Amino acid sequence: MKLPNLITDPDTLAGLSHDEAEWAPAGTPFAALRPESTEDVQRAVRACAESATPIVPRGAGTGLSGGANAVDGCLVLDLSRMNRILEIDRENLLAVVQPGVVNDDLKKAVAELGLWYPPDPASSPWSTIGGNVSTNAGGLCCLKYGVTRDYVLGLEVVMGGPVEYGTAVRLGRRTTKGVAGYDLTGLVVGSEGTLGVVTEITLRLRPAPPPSATVVGAFPSLVAAGRAVALCTSRGLQPAALELVDRACLQAVEDWKHLGIEPDTEAMLLARAETSPDADGLAAAFTDAGAVWTERSTDSVEAEALFAARRLTYPALERLGPLLTEDVCVPRSAVPAMLARIEEIGARHGVRIATIAHAGDGNLHPLLITPPGDDTARIAAQAAFDDIIGQALELGGTVTGEHGVGLLKRDGMIRELGPAAHAVQRSVKQALDPLGLFNPGKA
């Protein structure tokens, strides 16, 4: 394969061959490439098609499902250098970006014009828009404002199959409305790089959000916090965010960053409310569900410290040992039951589980912590991981709310979809990538 700027150094390739998913298998790529333009990607895809070389696209590598993990002999396409914001259209509330743009960098750029890009995964200081598109990432604000798919108007994707491999195909539109043809843009969002390589993204923006109040509730148990979430839902409250953090997570962050948090209860709910009725209603629901204490604050510094603690949970817990991260989502009314089942599964398998959650939309992230180098603990954690998936499906949930299927959730996805829907999915992949080049073995 003759491509300029190929990376073949073994140490560099090792760093580019996997994301942050613990214990997800990773192969050895033959090379990596850091394209800087759509044309670079097109040349790479054409060369790979000619040589039957698999292609694994990656952004910042912050994924938690193995979706960016290399397969043996593949070309890794590291899109981090395609990091330009090409356009911000204030009048039409849209932006056009390359896939390597970091989420928070886009937020800052549009904020200078009084605009807002709502999707905000906890990894937003590091994760890229292209990676967010590939997994249909959610985040703290998706409860009220939606996930990445809700903000993708159009895409440029280097594809193959129905067109010659290496063809840049424009999907979607720039208008607010449009129903011409199948929704191929929506199909690509969340496809984890299995249908082509995204090289440009047209995004919907919103005006800057109104000021918000922060409502905090401390609870004597995870299940009590879950009851508060269900109560907020049944009362029709609309917080901009409703996050759950358990004692183990708060303690890990405090031990690492010394933010002055005193985790003296078993679970905490953090909510953002953009109206006084919602703030009052959240405080009342927390209290009625059994909160030990409830506080409401409009102090932006205090609020940011609390939400910073939420965002720092994953790296704080990583310091304690290998982490296996779940991403199940259940109906909001089932949150208390799912939290109780997670606690039971941890106890039954002897696995330490810390839990964070986008609790307001039922998206739970149990974090299974194991001692370094302990194979027995690893096996127990993997068994607990599978049991959590089974319980989520039993409660009418899904195996992944936002992290994607990747390698860790393939079996769970097949269980969830059933044979008929799985056959349809496979036929779509076959039609759009008959050579099986794009991120094989994923999703």
Side-chain angles (χ1 to χ4, degrees), residues 269-307:
L269 287 177
L270 308 175
R272 283 194 179 121
E274 294 174 345
T275 69
S276 291
D278 275 330
D280 294 340
L282 288 164
F286 290 0
T287 300
D288 292 347
V292 176
W293 53 262
T294 302
E295 291 185 7
R296 175 179 169 180
S297 173
T298 56
D299 184 328
S300 60
V301 175
E302 180 182 59
E304 189 52 41
L306 288 168
F307 279 94

Side-chain angles (χ1 to χ4, degrees), residues 200-220:
E200 188 180 289
I201 306 145
T202 301
L203 296 165
R204 186 195 315 273
L205 303 176
R206 296 179 65 103
S212 61
T214 300
V215 182
V216 183
F219 295 85

Side-chain angles (χ1 to χ4, degrees), residues 358-369:
H358 307 306
D361 56 22
N363 191 184
L364 310 180
H365 297 314
L367 306 168
L368 292 75
I369 308 165

Side-chain angles (χ1 to χ4, degrees), residues 95-99 129-130 133 152 154-156 198-203:
V96 182
V97 304
Q98 291 183 311
I129 299 296
V133 168
V152 178
L155 297 169
E156 178 185 76
V198 173
T199 52
E200 188 180 289
I201 306 145
T202 301
L203 296 165

Side-chain angles (χ1 to χ4, degrees), residues 70-312:
V71 296
D72 287 339
C74 75
L75 175 68
V76 172
L77 278 182
D78 175 4
L79 299 164
S80 59
R81 289 187 180 174
M82 293 182 65
N83 59 2
R84 290 185 296 144
I85 298 174
L86 303 174
E87 178 186 359
I88 300 175
D89 185 339
R90 186 176 183 181
E91 185 175 5
N92 291 300
L93 295 177
L94 62 83
V96 182
V97 304
Q98 291 183 311
V101 171
V102 171
N103 184 294
D104 272 7
D105 290 346
L106 175 62
K107 287 180 180 291
K108 291 172 186 175
V110 302
E112 293 175 1
L113 300 175
L115 303 175
W116 183 37
Y117 176 64
D120 61 338
S123 60
S124 63
W126 316 283
S127 64
T128 61
I129 299 296
N132 293 173
V133 168
S134 291
T135 62
N136 190 26
L140 278 65
C141 289
C142 64
L143 170 61
K144 185 172 184 177
Y145 290 103
V147 296
T148 299
R149 179 178 282 117
D150 299 307
Y151 293 88
V152 178
L153 290 169
L155 297 169
E156 178 185 76
V157 189
V158 176
M159 305 182 74
V163 295
E164 181 183 356
Y165 274 86
T167 302
V169 182
R170 290 273 179 180
L171 307 175
R173 60 193 190 280
R174 290 173 64 100
T175 55
T176 303
K177 296 168 65 177
V179 292
Y182 296 127
D183 182 10
L184 300 180
T185 303
L187 177 64
V188 171
V189 177
S191 64
E192 301 183 46
T194 61
L195 302 179
V197 182
V198 173
T199 52
E200 188 180 289
I201 306 145
T202 301
L203 296 165
R204 186 195 315 273
L205 303 176
R206 296 179 65 103
S212 61
T214 300
V215 182
V216 183
F219 295 85
S221 69
L222 270 179
V223 175
R227 286 197 296 265
V229 172
L231 190 57
C232 291
T233 299
S234 67
R235 291 181 178 179
L237 301 174
Q238 290 190 306
L242 181 54
E243 297 291 301
L244 180 148
V245 190
D246 77 358
R247 183 189 185 103
C249 295
L250 290 169
Q251 189 65 61
V253 172
E254 180 59 22
D255 290 345
W256 181 32
K257 291 297 185 180
H258 308 294
L259 299 177
I261 299 168
E262 297 182 6
D264 55 354
T265 53
E266 291 304 310
M268 183 177 291
L269 287 177
L270 308 175
R272 283 194 179 121
E274 294 174 345
T275 69
S276 291
D278 275 330
D280 294 340
L282 288 164
F286 290 0
T287 300
D288 292 347
V292 176
W293 53 262
T294 302
E295 291 185 7
R296 175 179 169 180
S297 173
T298 56
D299 184 328
S300 60
V301 175
E302 180 182 59
E304 189 52 41
L306 288 168
F307 279 94
R310 163 63 181 87
R311 293 183 185 278
L312 289 169

Side-chain angles (χ1 to χ4, degrees), residues 13 17 26-31 70-74:
L13 289 180
S17 66
T28 302
F30 97 89
V71 296
D72 287 339
C74 75

